[in-house]
Amino acid sequence: MNNNAEVAFQAALDAQRRGAWPESLTQAQLAIHEAPGEARYHAIVGDALYMLARPKEAARSYEHALKLDPCHVGALNNLAVIYSLDHQYADAEALLHRSLAIKSDQLEAWLNLCSAVEGLDFRENDVVTYARTALTLAPDDPRTQRYLGKALLRQGNITEALNALETAAGQDPRNPDTHCNLGICHLQLDEVPEAIQSFQTALAIDPAHGGTYRALAEFLYQIEDWPAAEEACRHAQNLLNAPIAGDMLLAKILFAQGRYQEGAECHIEARKKENLWFKSNRGIAIPNNRFVLAPVQSVDHWCTQQGTPYRKILPELNWQARPPTLFGTDPSPQTIKPARIPPAYVAEVKNATVLPGHEVILVDNEQVALYNRLIHMQDWGSLREDRTVPLISNDCILTECSPMAQQRIRAGIFMFSEGWSNYAHWLIEQIPRLYLLEQCAEYDGIPLLVNDGLYPQQLESLQSVSAGRYPIQILNSKQRHHVERLVFPTNLTAFIKRRYRPKERADAADGPFHPEAIHFLRQRLLPQYGSKTKPQRRLWVSRKTQIKTGQRRLINEEEIETLFLNKGFEIIFPETLTFKEQVEAFSGAEMIAGPAGAAMINTVFSPPDAKILIFTKNHPQVNFHYFTNIGQIVGFEVAHVCGQSIKNFGVYGFETDFTVECEVAKKAMREFLKI
């Protein structure tokens, strides 16, 4: 052992204990000069550099220490902390697992593991496991309960999260993060007064707690208190050093107040920061897209102004829905008002720009947006912003346009939808557009324009219905495309809401279909693919392969499924079947049951005397009319079995997971299916 080196190292340790970091760094560097191959010396240099706000240099010192001694626990843990702060979460997690494999009872390592993994998508279960392990090591440490509470909150276990966070608050009542997350818990439970109290407590402890202001801004935005939301958001921006997500929230708040230019500029600046971050931290170069702030019109209004061809095929229709049949809930009586289905037409739009995968069409040198869904609904709050249209109002939108494709399209038929990735919306909203086209023979032979990424079953359905009358042209969704002559057939459904405000409930207007759309699908496809035998199959339509939290999973599906298997039902997984096989299966079934989901749209091919039993949750935003309306047109009976919603953090209410009591399912089998 080099005595001079060891003396310098001990001096570095002494300075470290006193918080004299420059002195500690100097002494540690002297130790390295005397003995450069000692891992301990490089590790303490890392400690000093980190405390002197030089994290990149500190990381290099820790990395060098680990080359000399791969089992140096301190270097492993501290380097993991730096990686986490630099958003290198996977690398941080790997280092911490190495450290814990050496010594498993390190409380700080388990807590650092919680910190690293909570930054990764869909890892809430792991954070819960790590936090519970830390809890066994230090049950009185409020940090363990805080990490556990936050993970349970994101996992959707709100009540457990509340208990953990309340315990943390009892152990450390002066931690503003704990009270902020308690406030978020209360909001998830619709306990607004308690949430506000928790936020106020957090700010009383730390008036500069940016996370609380951010949570308040989100809440105030949802309840449409725009001035208060803006004030809270600006506080959060100042305190959190203007994070990208906060900039984007501020842009939405400004846009909602009619400050379109200001909101657009705010969003564009946030996107520039986001692109720069990805380039600097992930090495990903994102193309500089074009942003267009444009007023909105409907296609028919535009065509009338321009004098371009516009042909009405079906008149406006008032649809009177029948009351849904429900088990497991006693809903308050509702007056079901007629729902308006807009007129259906085919129009031509000259020199249009299309954005594959979205319903917006840009015209007039990309200065005007045609957006039928928005115009007909006249309720921007019912639409969900996305990457293509990040900001929406009733009369103006901001679009983010990908680079223009080099090849111009001479003529094409518009077949895009924002819900294209959902099989149900594709089949029931997009395919029936062909009914309108077939009334206009002059468009025969013009290609159907669709975006890339469609499922094989979607393309198969389109090919089956078009039968070669219209070729299919797949467009790159990472580009925008100029179409000289765009043929636009409208949608044959009312425009379905996809987002609800607090306390708002679904009603009959959220999904009526024009009967012609349903009849067209059945008349076109059942002669080709329909079952040729008497309907006698009993189908359980499984969603067990849907594994993501907050995707309308029936959590106890296997338990419910067993009840039906004992009554002669067979399990099918529609996603594994071809389109033809799905039509054949559903058309040959006398009874169909299963959780609500896209595959249930195949009931459109069911026999008129079939019985359909759909499992969902008792939630005001669940649309019980969607499948009921189809049954009303075809003639089959539909009932819904309602279970208990499981609230998931960050997931819209009607999309949450749920459970159904077996006794409720048995009652529906007896009284509705008569088995």
Side-chain angles (χ1 to χ4, degrees):
M1 179 183 293
N2 186 313
N3 288 335
N4 291 336
E6 191 63 20
V7 168
F9 174 66
Q10 292 301 323
L13 284 176
D14 179 66
Q16 184 184 75
R17 283 189 288 270
R18 290 184 282 109
W21 297 108
E23 181 185 343
S24 180
L25 177 61
T26 299
Q27 293 296 329
Q29 288 172 334
L30 285 173
I32 289 174
H33 179 75
E34 293 291 333
E38 183 63 55
R40 293 177 300 151
Y41 304 165
H42 291 277
I44 199 170
V45 166
D47 296 344
L49 288 169
Y50 179 77
M51 296 305 295
L52 292 169
R54 295 159 66 179
K56 290 188 177 180
E57 295 172 74
R60 287 195 290 270
S61 291
Y62 291 134
E63 288 165 352
H64 194 79
L66 290 172
K67 286 180 181 178
L68 298 171
D69 179 7
C71 294
H72 193 289
V73 169
L76 287 168
N77 292 342
N78 294 336
L79 182 58
V81 170
I82 294 175
Y83 281 173
S84 287
L85 293 173
D86 198 36
H87 307 290
Q88 300 179 59
Y89 301 119
D91 293 334
E93 182 183 11
L95 289 172
L96 290 164
H97 279 301
R98 282 172 56 187
S99 177
L100 288 164
I102 298 166
K103 191 173 187 295
S104 63
D105 62 347
Q106 302 177 73
L107 174 63
E108 296 301 324
W110 285 109
L111 294 175
N112 288 340
L113 195 55
C114 291
S115 177
V117 176
E118 73 176 359
L120 300 173
D121 290 335
F122 306 113
R123 295 293 301 278
E124 292 83 5
N125 292 349
D126 290 329
V127 181
V128 169
T129 299
Y130 301 150
R132 291 195 193 282
T133 303
L135 194 60
T136 64
L137 298 173
D140 296 326
D141 191 320
R143 295 175 298 169
T144 61
Q145 295 284 6
R146 189 156 53 246
Y147 276 119
L148 178 60
K150 289 193 293 181
L152 289 167
L153 176 58
R154 295 196 64 83
Q155 196 181 49
N157 294 325
I158 310 300
T159 303
E160 287 185 63
L162 189 65
N163 291 336
L165 290 165
E166 286 177 339
T167 301
Q171 294 169 337
D172 179 11
R174 298 295 299 169
N175 186 283
D177 286 338
T178 300
H179 292 285
C180 177
N181 283 288
L182 274 172
I184 295 172
C185 263
H186 286 302
L187 285 181
Q188 291 288 302
L189 294 169
D190 294 325
E191 297 169 354
V192 175
E194 292 86 349
I196 298 300
Q197 179 62 54
S198 293
F199 291 144
Q200 288 174 338
T201 301
L203 292 174
I205 297 168
D206 180 6
H209 193 259
T212 299
Y213 280 112
R214 176 61 196 276
L216 274 170
E218 290 274 11
F219 167 66
L220 293 165
Y221 175 76
Q222 290 175 10
I223 65 172
E224 301 183 7
D225 187 345
W226 314 127
E230 180 183 351
E231 182 181 1
C233 195
R234 290 195 184 278
H235 275 300
Q237 297 303 88
N238 293 332
L239 297 167
L240 296 173
N241 196 23
I244 294 167
D247 284 340
M248 291 183 174
L249 174 61
L250 180 59
K252 292 198 293 185
I253 294 169
L254 293 171
F255 215 76
Q257 296 178 82
R259 293 151 66 181
Y260 302 140
Q261 189 64 44
E262 192 178 352
E265 290 172 358
C266 183
H267 179 85
I268 293 168
E269 187 61 30
R271 287 286 286 119
K272 288 179 180 177
K273 292 179 184 177
E274 185 180 50
N275 292 350
L276 182 62
W277 186 91
F278 272 104
K279 186 175 181 179
S280 301
N281 293 278
R282 301 289 172 83
I284 300 174
I286 299 176
N288 293 319
N289 293 337
R290 180 169 186 244
F291 288 90
V292 176
L293 181 64
V296 180
Q297 296 184 20
S298 65
V299 173
D300 54 330
H301 180 74
W302 173 261
C303 290
T304 300
Q305 282 186 327
Q306 301 297 313
T308 56
Y310 159 68
R311 179 178 170 187
K312 186 181 292 187
I313 307 297
L314 295 170
E316 178 179 311
L317 177 69
N318 284 327
W319 173 257
Q320 182 61 60
R322 66 188 181 196
T325 301
L326 306 177
F327 290 90
T329 181
D330 296 314
S332 55
Q334 295 182 50
T335 301
I336 301 178
K337 299 178 181 179
R340 172 181 174 267
I341 302 177
Y345 58 84
V346 179
E348 284 190 36
V349 180
K350 304 295 185 183
N351 294 316
T353 297
V354 296
L355 313 170
H358 210 284
E359 296 174 38
V360 169
I361 303 168
L362 297 177
V363 292
D364 194 14
N365 295 319
E366 300 186 348
Q367 297 303 304
V368 174
L370 308 183
Y371 195 4
N372 271 18
R373 183 185 292 268
L374 176 59
I375 291 296
H376 288 172
M377 292 176 66
Q378 275 299 293
D379 182 10
W380 67 270
S382 295
L383 296 176
R384 185 176 299 170
E385 304 93 339
D386 56 24
R387 195 59 173 258
T388 303
V389 182
L391 298 177
I392 307 175
S393 77
N394 282 353
D395 52 14
C396 187
I397 62 173
L398 179 71
T399 60
E400 181 173 351
C401 304
S402 301
M404 179 70 80
Q406 291 185 351
Q407 185 176 1
R408 295 163 71 93
I409 300 170
R410 293 189 61 184
I413 299 170
F414 188 93
M415 290 291 288
F416 303 120
S417 166
E418 292 146 29
W420 67 267
S421 61
N422 183 288
Y423 173 74
H425 292 302
W426 166 264
L427 182 65
I428 209 74
E429 296 175 31
Q430 300 309 303
I431 299 298
R433 291 178 187 255
L434 297 180
Y435 168 81
L436 302 178
L437 285 172
E438 291 181 0
Q439 316 309 310
C440 307
E442 63 269 28
Y443 300 130
D444 286 1
I446 295 179
L448 301 169
L449 304 180
V450 299
N451 54 277
D452 51 13
L454 293 174
Y455 307 140
Q457 294 94 328
Q458 290 175 300
L459 287 172
E460 183 187 353
S461 67
L462 188 58
Q463 291 163 344
S464 299
V465 175
S466 62
R469 187 168 178 175
Y470 313 96
I472 298 172
Q473 185 172 350
I474 300 175
L475 301 186
N476 185 346
S477 57
K478 294 182 179 178
Q479 296 177 323
R480 69 188 196 276
H481 302 260
H482 183 91
V483 185
E484 295 177 7
R485 182 191 181 202
L486 181 67
V487 180
F488 181 86
T490 56
N491 202 310
L492 285 178
T493 70
F495 292 88
I496 299 161
K497 291 185 178 182
R498 296 186 297 149
R499 184 178 73 182
Y500 296 88
R501 295 177 174 86
K503 307 301 181 184
E504 192 174 21
R505 54 187 306 133
D507 58 33
D510 296 338
F513 310 96
H514 201 295
E516 289 294 345
I518 306 301
H519 296 322
F520 173 71
L521 286 171
R522 292 177 62 84
Q523 292 166 3
R524 182 57 53 88
L525 292 165
L526 286 177
Q528 296 182 69
Y529 300 152
S531 174
K532 302 300 188 287
T533 62
K534 180 183 177 182
Q536 56 186 358
R537 295 176 70 178
R538 296 181 176 184
L539 305 180
W540 175 266
V541 184
S542 177
R543 276 174 55 87
K544 284 190 293 188
T545 57
Q546 185 69 61
I547 60 174
K548 288 184 179 180
T549 298
Q551 292 290 324
R552 290 171 287 144
R553 297 176 304 167
L554 174 56
I555 299 298
N556 62 329
E557 180 172 341
E558 290 194 4
E559 181 182 24
I560 300 297
E561 174 187 279
T562 301
L563 300 177
F564 286 83
L565 293 180
N566 292 337
K567 298 296 183 181
F569 281 71
E570 59 180 293
I571 303 175
I572 65 167
F573 298 89
E575 67 273 16
T576 67
L577 305 177
T578 66
F579 177 67
K580 175 183 176 182
E581 290 168 341
Q582 291 183 60
V583 176
E584 183 178 12
F586 280 77
S587 64
E590 62 172 349
M591 296 180 188
I592 299 168
M600 277 292 184
I601 202 63
N602 285 308
T603 55
V604 71
F605 303 115
S606 299
D609 56 355
K611 291 196 172 185
I612 317 297
L613 191 59
I614 298 174
F615 286 76
T616 185
K617 76 220 59 161
N618 182 15
H619 193 283
Q621 294 172 358
V622 170
N623 182 4
F624 298 116
H625 295 279
Y626 193 85
F627 293 106
T628 302
N629 286 337
I630 297 175
Q632 188 173 341
I633 295 169
V634 175
F636 57 72
E637 293 184 66
V638 178
H640 291 80
V641 183
C642 302
Q644 179 64 44
S645 177
I646 298 174
K647 299 196 175 191
N648 305 109
F649 180 73
V651 178
Y652 291 96
F654 61 96
E655 294 178 344
T656 57
D657 301 331
F658 64 103
T659 59
V660 171
E661 294 181 5
C662 284
E663 289 306 312
V664 176
K666 290 176 182 177
K667 180 179 180 181
M669 293 172 70
R670 290 192 306 269
E671 298 182 11
F672 178 71
L673 297 179
K674 307 297 184 184
I675 57 175

